[in-house]
Amino acid sequence: MKHPFYTVGTALLLGFSIPAGAAVTVAERAEENATSTREAGGSLGQELLRVTNDMWFLLSGVADRKAAESSAARFLSLVKEAESIGNRLYDSEGQGQDLEALDMLHYRIAESLEDLNTEFTSLCRARCYGSEKLIEAFHAAVSAGLFDEELLQELTMPKPPLSERETRQEIVRLKRLIEPDRALLALLREVKDVKSAEKCVERLLKLAERMNALLPDQSLANRDFAPSAERIAREVYTPISPLLWGIRSEIVRIAALPGYEDASYDAFSDALDAVYSVLGDTHSEWFDDVFDASFRTDLDDALHENATTSK
């Protein structure tokens, strides 16, 4: 069963000098070994999971310049440790048992990496609160292959706020999101079991197409409203906020449905994955505030409860 929101890309440590074709290899072998009972304790995969979790925990606590300054040295140390693990994991001598162990952990690693990338991206957009030490450490992380090089543009080239014309354009777009958001929430509420989930697949995919048509213009993406426009931006978010929170709650509820980890939900899970991805792109102004680290925790708890009660 494919884990909700799991994609191969997030499972591959965002670079780590992986040889061509390794992404497919890891994903395919994980599926082949899904019923295996091999123990993965002490493996490089476990080390990788620990380091990425430590990096996420460290970055998630950075909310001002002081915290950014004090976190820089520790983050740089974790970058070097992660780079070392990556090199050992994918060198010619380490592709046997360690890759098998990684297969057993790839869902958890994918989740950890997704959360880590979110925090890294968010701090890039905040320009590390002006901390030159953390900015330097972020450059080192990109050089090590842990994160996308394009993110460095956020550190060195702060984007100007939206102009009045651009603000009007963005406000119109955001208001048009209300209807598909409401439709998505209503659709998710229909999902009670496998049969009802199957009936929603095509409609979910159509909603993904509708939302994809509402992506922001590339020139407006990841740019803030001017201070003078913040009030109207809050007004636009007022009807959207409860919809996003409702969507979050429904996703967690669905993850806890009996048998959700079974293959019978795969088509629905794939469709939901597509919607979730475009939801983040169309609602980038507020998405991370709703679908934050606590959402990942709630989702994991729901899946764990599902697995426990299914036994």
Side-chain angles (χ1 to χ4, degrees):
M1 166 68 183
K2 181 176 124 177
H3 193 289
F5 318 131
Y6 169 78
T7 59
V8 172
T10 57
L12 299 181
L13 200 51
L14 307 173
F16 267 169
S17 304
I18 301 174
V24 176
T25 300
V26 172
E28 288 178 347
R29 295 185 62 208
E31 293 299 326
E32 294 170 358
N33 297 326
T35 58
S36 172
T37 57
R38 292 190 303 272
E39 292 294 329
S43 68
L44 288 176
Q46 289 283 8
E47 291 186 47
L48 177 57
L49 181 62
R50 174 187 58 79
V51 172
T52 55
N53 280 337
D54 286 351
M55 294 175 78
W56 170 82
F57 184 79
L58 180 69
L59 295 186
S60 67
V62 176
D64 52 38
R65 184 187 177 96
K66 182 179 180 180
E69 289 281 297
S70 63
S71 299
R74 174 59 177 159
F75 180 74
L76 185 57
S77 175
L78 289 170
V79 166
K80 293 178 180 178
E81 187 175 359
E83 185 177 18
S84 174
I85 294 171
N87 290 335
R88 284 183 286 148
L89 187 59
Y90 291 104
D91 67 16
S92 59
E93 299 177 356
Q95 294 191 17
Q97 182 178 354
D98 289 319
L99 272 182
E100 292 179 356
L102 182 60
D103 286 346
M104 303 301 293
L105 290 168
H106 77 290
Y107 291 139
R108 293 171 61 192
I109 292 173
E111 293 171 356
S112 179
L113 287 169
E114 185 173 340
D115 290 338
L116 173 59
N117 193 57
T118 296
E119 292 298 332
F120 187 89
T121 302
S122 177
L123 285 172
C124 282
R125 291 171 180 169
R127 299 197 70 251
C128 295
Y129 296 100
S131 169
E132 293 300 327
K133 290 182 180 180
L134 190 57
I135 289 175
E136 183 178 347
F138 273 24
H139 276 271
V142 170
S143 296
L146 273 68
F147 301 96
D148 192 333
E149 186 175 359
E150 291 182 0
L151 292 173
L152 293 181
Q153 296 179 9
E154 303 283 353
L155 288 173
T156 57
M157 299 174 57
K159 297 180 179 179
L162 299 174
S163 67
E164 290 187 12
R165 179 188 61 79
E166 292 170 331
T167 295
R168 289 194 297 270
Q169 180 180 342
E170 185 66 356
I171 291 297
V172 169
R173 183 189 71 85
L174 294 175
K175 287 182 177 179
R176 293 176 61 194
L177 291 173
I178 297 174
E179 183 181 349
D181 285 352
R182 187 178 292 120
L184 175 58
L185 179 56
L187 187 57
L188 293 179
R189 285 173 174 166
E190 294 182 18
V191 179
K192 308 294 183 183
D193 49 31
V194 174
K195 289 185 177 180
S196 56
E198 290 175 346
K199 292 180 180 178
C200 292
V201 170
E202 290 301 321
R203 285 182 288 169
L204 275 176
L205 294 175
K206 289 181 179 178
L207 270 176
E209 292 178 0
R210 286 180 60 189
M211 289 185 176
N212 195 57
L214 293 173
L215 289 170
D217 185 276
Q218 189 63 35
S219 64
L220 308 184
N222 300 321
R223 288 173 58 191
D224 295 329
F225 288 100
S228 59
E230 289 180 354
R231 179 185 59 80
I232 189 171
R234 287 194 299 270
E235 291 176 354
V236 173
Y237 184 50
T238 297
I240 292 179
S241 176
L243 297 174
L244 288 180
W245 283 101
I247 290 168
R248 167 181 163 148
S249 297
E250 289 303 308
I251 290 175
V252 173
R253 177 189 65 79
I254 291 170
L257 289 175
Y260 189 71
E261 289 278 70
D262 297 339
S264 56
Y265 277 97
D266 274 0
F268 174 82
S269 179
D270 288 343
L272 184 57
D273 191 10
V275 172
Y276 182 80
S277 177
V278 73
L279 194 70
D281 293 335
T282 52
H283 297 70
S284 59
E285 293 85 352
W286 316 294
F287 187 80
D288 291 343
D289 294 333
V290 178
F291 296 91
D292 56 5
S294 67
F295 165 68
R296 179 62 63 192
T297 299
D298 291 346
L299 190 63
D300 286 344
D301 289 344
L303 291 168
H304 177 73
E305 179 183 351
N306 185 337
T308 302
T309 56
S310 297
K311 292 181 179 178

